[in-house]
Amino acid sequence: MITLYGSGPNFGLPDASPFVTKAETLLRMSKLPFEKALMSFSKAPKGKIPYIEDDGQLLGDSTLIRWHLEKKYGIDFDQGLSAEQLAISWAFEKMAEDNLYWASVYFRWMIDANFRKGPVNFFKDVPAPVRPVVVSMIRRRLRKTLHGQGLGRHSADEITAIGIRSIEAMAAYLGDKPFFMGNTPAGIDATMFAFAVSAICPLFESELQRAAASHDNLRRYVGRMTARFYPELQEIAGCQSAA
């Protein structure tokens, strides 16, 4: 039995982390039996989530998890895709993970109102006397990470513009197709679903969120993926699962 470790459902999402949602969606697409458990950073092989345990082997990073499933279990998430489609899939995946993700992190963690509605809850088990110190320290570290990554060097308006460009690219390429590469879900859909639903999440107010939610095709896509792979969930992030 494969065990997927993450932070757990939160904010109306399958998991607070889009990378965990990506890994979970891949597992659901694979139809392999698996269970979910709460992570421990001391156990995580890469020091981050998601990670899985499979026959005693710990493996971190959502992309490496995908490659592991493909190699060990002979799963082809991209069956029938052309070389061009595979290249486009990889480019969109990296755009979501290395660009849109950090824009979302900024608006969740660096905007005080959004932080108080969401990420602050991650610290509820920290003893009250030291909680403010720990929260401040983690936010400072994350601000330094954002600065090192590059996006954190920009103004809020500039970050918004960069993030919206990614959202618009996703919506434009999806168009009227049921799934990102056509009529059948492919591996890229695990990533696009995870980051689209994260961006649309109405809990975190920003121009980036409003831009994502304004695309009817993205909301219908999230609903379609929800109905297919998360049938136990009636609605995710304001996107009807029957859409």
Side-chain angles (χ1 to χ4, degrees), residues 16-24 49-50 61-62 96-98 101 194-195:
S17 165
F19 291 98
V20 176
T21 300
K22 170 190 169 184
E24 180 176 356
I49 53 175
D61 189 272
S62 61
E97 295 182 349
D98 298 332
Y101 170 70
F195 284 88

Side-chain angles (χ1 to χ4, degrees), residues 98-99 102-103 106 142-155 158-159 162:
D98 298 332
N99 182 281
W102 292 108
Y106 173 84
L142 187 52
R143 191 178 292 276
K144 287 183 64 176
T145 298
L146 283 162
H147 189 270
Q149 190 272 341
L151 205 69
R153 299 168 188 260
H154 304 315
S155 68
E158 290 167 337
I159 294 172
I162 291 169

Side-chain angles (χ1 to χ4, degrees), residues 129-219:
V130 298
R131 191 179 303 148
V133 175
V134 173
V135 167
S136 179
M137 178 186 68
I138 296 299
R139 291 183 81 189
R140 282 199 307 271
R141 286 182 182 176
L142 187 52
R143 191 178 292 276
K144 287 183 64 176
T145 298
L146 283 162
H147 189 270
Q149 190 272 341
L151 205 69
R153 299 168 188 260
H154 304 315
S155 68
D157 287 344
E158 290 167 337
I159 294 172
T160 297
I162 291 169
I164 287 177
R165 184 65 65 93
S166 294
I167 291 292
E168 290 176 344
M170 289 167 58
Y173 190 79
L174 175 63
D176 294 329
K177 299 191 298 292
F179 301 101
F180 213 69
M181 286 297 162
N183 293 325
T184 305
I188 184 62
D189 288 295
T191 303
M192 292 297 100
F193 166 70
F195 284 88
V197 75
S198 178
I200 290 171
C201 180
L203 181 66
F204 304 108
E205 297 182 34
S206 70
E207 290 301 319
L208 181 64
Q209 186 278 330
R210 285 185 280 275
S214 73
H215 290 282
D216 289 341
N217 67 333
L218 284 181
R219 289 189 292 104

Side-chain angles (χ1 to χ4, degrees), residues 34-97:
F34 73 98
E35 60 185 6
K36 297 169 65 176
L38 293 179
M39 58 77 179
S40 167
F41 282 123
S42 63
K43 187 178 179 182
K46 301 286 185 179
K48 61 179 185 177
I49 53 175
Y51 62 96
I52 64 169
E53 185 169 2
D54 186 10
D55 290 335
Q57 178 185 4
L58 289 173
L59 184 70
D61 189 272
S62 61
T63 297
L64 298 183
I65 290 169
R66 172 181 171 168
W67 292 351
H68 169 79
L69 299 177
E70 291 175 327
K71 182 177 180 180
K72 181 173 180 177
Y73 297 100
I75 297 166
D76 184 359
F77 290 107
D78 292 328
Q79 187 173 8
L81 295 191
S82 67
E84 181 181 12
Q85 287 175 311
L86 291 173
I88 292 170
S89 295
W90 182 252
F92 268 99
E93 184 168 345
K94 294 304 105 181
M95 180 193 74
E97 295 182 349

